[in-house]
Amino acid sequence: MAMTAEHQISGLLGQFRSQLTRSMLSGAHNEEGSASMWKALNYFIVHSGLKVSVLNVFLKSYHRKQRTHFIAYLHICIRSKPFPWRDSNHTLFHNALVNLLPTGYEDE
């Protein structure tokens, strides 16, 4: 009789242990709770982080720095051979607001 009681108790503990590990692995007590938990995490944490990131980019781009005055130093814009595109003076991805030419900025 003692063996059957031990066998029944160990069987019940084994079932309880398997249910406990399943609920701990899922993060919630059932599948519906797990789905609602991940949905809430998505809306509250991920979307909030995305909004803060967009706000950070917007605020940093709002304050633009003034570009420096061009001084024709000899070491700036050395061209040993012309570029093989356009007028051979502009770089391939030339930006008129940022990139210099040997004579200075384009709009000055």
Side-chain angles (χ1 to χ4, degrees):
M1 180 149 161
M3 288 298 280
T4 14
E6 283 181 9
H7 183 65
Q8 287 177 351
I9 291 173
S10 67
L12 290 173
L13 288 176
Q15 289 175 358
F16 178 71
R17 186 177 299 136
S18 67
Q19 289 176 356
L20 180 65
T21 55
R22 259 188 264 132
S23 68
M24 289 174 65
L25 288 175
S26 70
H29 295 294
N30 56 17
E31 292 181 13
E32 292 175 4
S34 178
S36 65
M37 178 192 68
W38 286 109
K39 192 174 186 178
L41 284 174
N42 184 27
Y43 284 122
F44 295 118
I45 294 176
V46 174
H47 286 121
S48 300
L50 185 63
K51 289 176 185 176
V52 168
S53 299
V54 168
L55 180 67
N56 185 28
V57 168
F58 175 74
L59 292 177
K60 293 222 182 249
S61 67
Y62 183 71
H63 300 289
R64 294 202 180 250
K65 294 181 180 178
Q66 297 290 333
R67 63 180 180 192
T68 59
H69 181 67
F70 176 74
I71 300 173
Y73 292 115
L74 295 176
H75 65 277
I76 295 179
C77 300
I78 296 175
R79 307 272 198 265
S80 59
K81 59 182 181 178
F83 292 120
W85 49 82
R86 290 194 186 170
D87 64 351
S88 73
N89 203 16
H90 293 82
T91 59
L92 183 61
F93 300 107
H94 185 78
N95 184 351
L97 299 174
V98 179
N99 299 115
L100 289 170
L101 295 175
T103 58
Y105 293 105
E106 288 185 45
D107 59 351
E108 286 183 353

